[in-house]
Amino acid sequence: MAHKKEEWKAEQYGDEVRARLEEFAERGWEAIPEEEHDEWFSRFKFWGVFHQRGGQESYFMMRLTNCGGVLEPDQLRAIGEVARDYAQGPAENPEFGNGWIDLTTRQSIQLHWLKLEDIPEIWEKLEAVGVSSRSAGGDTMRNISGCPVAGKAEEYVESRELLDEIQDGIRGDDDLANMPRKFNISVTGCRQGCAQDALNDIGLEPAHKFVDTDEQSSSSNRESQIPDNGEEVEGFNVRAGGGLGGREPRAARPLDIFVTRDQAYDTVRAFVELYHEEGNRENRSKNRGRFFVDEWGTDEIREALDERLDFDLESAGTDFRGEYTYNAGKPSERGAHDHVGVYDQTDGQNYVGISVALGRLRADEAIELADLADEYGSGEVRLTRRQNPIITDVADEDLDDLLAEPLLDKHEPEPNPFEQGAMACTGTEFCSLALTETKARMARLLRWLGDNVEVPDDVDRIKMHFSGCTADCGQAMTADIGLQGMRARKDGEMVEAVDVGVGGGVGEEPTFIDWVRQRVPADELPGMIANLVRAFAALREDGQTFREWVEATGHETIVELAEPEEVEGYTDPCLYDAKQSWYPFAEGDSPAPTAPDGTPLATESDD
């Protein structure tokens, strides 16, 4: 029997939902029948419009899409202006104020505190510069991940045009819009692994192979470039079934398939179609792509793709996973861990990645960043999978002036090791699934650690990822130190708490964290991390990274070293019961639901 959400989608889904959403916006929040909230909010997600959690009725989040993290000139400015003019909530965040954008781990942007009545005008402003929210949520192909500097920096296989082809021809295909669950695609063309192919439902990784064939293979809509006589070929190996969440993470598994650049599009499409047709639409807890690969197995999936494709499949070639450095737990001299810093472009110019702690950027800062991209670069801004922005196309003679700008004094290209490695999901501030607040807590934690804990001079990043629940949107499972929100009792009271694990990372052999402490009260978390990092600094061998030290030290010893304790100088922002409040940082009753001007609306309970 199909899940109820499949029934809702069968009644109305995709582009036709937009007209209804605009109708509701014209008539106001109260026009949505209360008994139909769940189904309409589920449908709205296709257009990137998510209702916020309980107590925040009539307020919405909007997620945007920009394939591979590319924001063309004027797009970031328009997004910042929307945040300034519309993303203003009824209460301020104590760390970030009011009116800001959130950079996501899929190289895109989220806006919060939007009123339903403003959505059509917001769309008009964003779409005027080519920014869309279509297919940003729900059971769709989500924002496609790629190297954020594809086309700018060195790649083994050029991927920028391929990303756009997949965006336009596959993700943009209405016939494939209604997937069994959300579905993630990535294309890595570089040798650093920055698209994190291991974490996607299907990922292409650069590879090469000697192919000996008497007849050239051909794809259904392109000429093959596999040459005769055993020449070396550049292309991709194909992996499938990666993903996090539910504490059942999977690294994407190799399908033993090598494709050329010109066969890659058809191969991705074939797998998308296979999952679209055969994926489980009944049990939503077991129907993500990773479970699909579990059920079918890689051999059967390869056979199914072989039947669907108009060229003979080649076995996998030689990949570059041994060279992967992006969040791979290797020493910095081996290569970039992320895109924060100053780097050379292939055209002789530079790109500058700045650190936005936890991915939250104030609206005025987003506009200023767009201005700086115009003044010192081409106006184009790229976004990374680690929640940071990049200014591209900076000439050598302009580099010092850019680095001296006040905005880059706050959001540095060379931040402290804790800030540079930090990521966090939305948390209880807006998410109904989360058990703990994340971003404000992590901001205070980063400050305290930066002021009180020293790390060795050769360690420039300690990767801490914070997820408010086991859905793991903050990618805690892949961190040096992974944090997942929980609840616990302390001194007889219920408090926000954290499960803590260590030793995660992607790279040649993706490794997920090993849990070392359960339900640590949030106010004892800074002391625990300090004890762990200080032990690392004191006991590591020369040049050893945190991940290498964890592997060498062993689980029992790490547990002993990771002792939770309260510390001076740290005050937790919302230790008690934030899950039950309408907003973690506001006292009193919620003003929601509200009219477009923020005036509270009467509800049945008020009568």
Side-chain angles (χ1 to χ4, degrees):
M1 182 178 178
H3 191 275
K4 65 180 180 181
K5 289 190 176 182
E6 291 297 326
E7 297 176 0
W8 295 344
K9 290 189 292 181
E11 294 172 7
Q12 194 170 87
Y13 186 72
D15 288 342
E16 58 186 331
V17 171
R18 176 160 174 157
R20 291 304 307 276
L21 195 153
E22 290 173 335
E23 289 176 17
F24 289 133
E26 183 176 357
R27 295 162 54 198
W29 162 259
E30 294 176 301
I32 307 174
E34 186 171 356
E35 66 275 11
E36 298 177 10
H37 277 183
D38 287 349
E39 56 194 89
W40 282 113
F41 296 161
S42 180
R43 292 178 181 128
F44 289 174
K45 290 178 182 179
F46 179 86
W47 278 97
V49 177
F50 292 68
H51 185 251
Q52 295 181 177
R53 69 177 181 90
Q56 298 173 5
E57 287 78 16
S58 77
Y59 289 100
F60 290 82
M61 177 268 280
M62 180 182 288
R63 181 179 295 146
L64 308 178
T65 67
N66 50 301
C67 176
V70 176
L71 288 172
E72 297 174 355
D74 296 327
Q75 291 184 336
L76 178 60
R77 181 177 295 103
I79 295 168
E81 290 171 352
V82 167
R84 178 195 63 198
D85 298 340
Y86 298 97
Q88 299 285 337
E92 287 200 358
N93 183 294
E95 293 290 333
F96 306 100
N98 214 337
W100 27 257
I101 69 175
D102 276 346
L103 310 180
T104 77
T105 58
R106 289 206 69 80
Q107 300 176 275
S108 194
I109 289 173
Q110 293 180 174
L111 299 163
H112 289 279
W113 290 126
L114 304 181
K115 298 296 294 179
L116 175 67
E117 295 85 352
D118 293 328
I119 297 296
E121 190 170 338
I122 291 170
W123 275 334
E124 183 178 354
K125 290 180 179 293
L126 294 177
E127 290 169 357
V129 293
V131 175
S132 175
S133 67
R134 184 184 187 276
S135 189
D139 297 339
T140 63
M141 287 171 271
R142 299 297 180 87
N143 203 52
I144 300 170
S145 294
C147 176
V149 287
K152 303 289 184 182
E154 183 178 351
E155 293 182 277
Y156 182 74
V157 186
E158 293 183 0
S159 62
R160 186 62 253 168
E161 290 185 2
L162 175 58
L163 285 161
D164 290 337
E165 290 173 15
I166 294 171
Q167 166 71 24
D168 295 339
I170 303 176
R171 189 165 179 266
D173 187 340
D174 290 345
D175 291 337
L176 296 173
N178 181 2
M179 302 290 281
R181 283 294 296 276
K182 67 179 181 180
F183 189 91
N184 293 323
I185 300 170
S186 72
V187 179
T188 299
C190 67
R191 297 176 188 245
Q192 286 77 41
C194 56
Q196 299 189 141
D197 50 73
L199 305 183
N200 289 271
D201 294 295
I202 182 167
L204 301 181
E205 59 178 352
H208 60 106
K209 182 173 184 173
F210 284 92
V211 178
D212 186 8
T213 178
D214 294 330
E215 296 183 3
Q216 289 189 346
S217 302
S218 62
S219 68
S220 60
N221 63 351
R222 296 170 178 79
E223 293 183 2
S224 170
Q225 293 185 348
I226 294 181
D228 297 334
N229 305 321
E231 296 180 28
E232 185 177 9
V233 181
E234 298 174 356
F236 301 95
N237 286 343
V238 184
R239 290 179 177 256
L244 307 173
R247 299 219 171 159
E248 296 185 88
R250 304 284 193 283
R253 281 140 282 179
L255 298 183
D256 191 24
I257 295 174
F258 173 84
V259 294
T260 66
R261 156 65 180 85
D262 286 345
Q263 294 170 332
Y265 172 94
D266 292 331
T267 305
V268 172
R269 184 179 184 90
F271 185 74
V272 170
E273 290 176 343
L274 178 65
Y275 175 67
H276 180 267
E277 295 167 15
E278 302 292 342
N280 185 328
R281 292 182 182 266
E282 298 176 2
N283 183 354
R284 292 182 66 84
S285 66
K286 291 290 185 180
N287 69 348
R288 290 293 304 275
R290 63 186 185 272
F291 301 120
F292 179 73
V293 175
D294 286 350
E295 180 182 353
W296 277 56
T298 55
D299 290 343
E300 188 171 347
I301 288 174
R302 191 184 196 280
E303 291 175 6
L305 296 182
D306 194 23
E307 293 176 0
R308 290 168 178 260
L309 293 167
D310 292 336
F311 52 86
D312 294 333
L313 292 181
E314 295 285 342
S315 59
T318 302
D319 60 44
F320 298 95
R321 301 187 78 79
E323 300 180 34
Y324 278 12
T325 55
Y326 197 85
N327 190 26
K330 294 182 178 180
S332 295
E333 58 266 22
R334 294 281 299 274
H337 288 220
D338 48 42
H339 292 87
V340 174
V342 179
Y343 299 88
D344 296 331
Q345 293 182 184
T346 54
D347 61 3
Q349 300 190 96
N350 307 275
Y351 68 86
V352 179
I354 68 173
S355 177
V356 174
L358 315 174
R360 184 160 286 180
L361 193 64
R362 290 203 329 255
D364 62 320
E365 294 174 337
I367 295 169
E368 184 179 354
L369 180 60
D371 291 341
L372 294 180
D374 271 341
E375 182 177 355
Y376 295 104
S378 62
E380 186 176 86
V381 174
R382 305 281 184 98
L383 306 178
T384 79
R385 291 206 64 170
R386 295 195 59 80
Q387 299 178 311
N388 293 310
I390 296 168
I391 298 174
T392 64
D393 307 313
V394 181
D396 288 345
E397 58 268 25
D398 294 327
L399 196 54
D400 288 343
D401 288 342
L402 171 60
L403 295 175
E405 288 284 348
L407 183 66
L408 274 72
D409 187 49
K410 177 179 180 181
H411 300 294
E412 300 177 65
E414 295 183 2
N416 74 54
F418 298 108
E419 182 177 317
Q420 179 145 345
M423 299 202 310
C425 75
T426 299
T428 52
E429 186 174 13
F430 301 112
C431 178
S432 61
L433 298 178
L435 296 174
T436 60
E437 196 282 328
T438 54
K439 287 188 183 287
R441 174 172 286 125
M442 192 72 151
R444 294 190 183 186
L445 173 62
L446 294 176
R447 279 201 304 274
W448 188 88
L449 291 170
D451 291 341
N452 292 278
V453 180
E454 294 186 5
V455 298
D457 291 340
D458 64 329
V459 176
D460 54 11
R461 297 162 178 86
I462 298 288
K463 294 185 175 63
M464 290 191 299
H465 302 174
F466 196 167
S467 291
C469 71
T470 60
D472 204 23
C473 296
Q475 299 185 359
M477 300 295 294
T478 68
D480 288 331
I481 302 173
L483 314 173
Q484 283 192 354
M486 288 289 162
R487 311 302 296 280
R489 286 202 173 274
K490 179 175 180 176
D491 300 329
E493 293 189 78
M494 187 65 70
V495 298
E496 297 200 357
V498 183
D499 284 358
V500 183
V502 298
V506 294
E508 181 179 8
E509 296 181 2
T511 302
F512 302 117
I513 55 174
D514 184 18
W515 299 105
V516 294
R517 289 282 180 171
Q518 308 289 319
R519 302 181 184 274
V520 176
D523 62 339
E524 299 178 22
L525 179 63
M528 175 186 169
I529 294 175
N531 289 334
L532 191 57
V533 173
R534 287 167 179 156
F536 161 64
L539 302 175
R540 69 192 282 260
E541 296 182 2
D542 289 343
Q544 203 169 37
T545 68
F546 188 88
R547 182 178 174 184
E548 291 169 341
W549 175 73
V550 166
E551 292 176 350
T553 301
H555 178 79
E556 292 184 3
T557 301
I558 295 289
V559 171
E560 292 177 3
L561 296 172
E563 182 67 30
E565 64 174 300
E566 296 180 17
V567 294
E568 292 186 5
Y570 175 85
T571 302
D572 198 83
C574 45
L575 183 61
Y576 299 99
D577 218 18
K579 176 73 173 178
Q580 302 304 318
S581 66
W582 73 272
Y583 192 63
F585 317 109
E587 296 181 357
D589 295 333
S590 168
T594 64
D597 63 358
T599 304
L601 295 171
T603 63
E604 292 183 5
S605 60
D606 297 327
D607 297 335

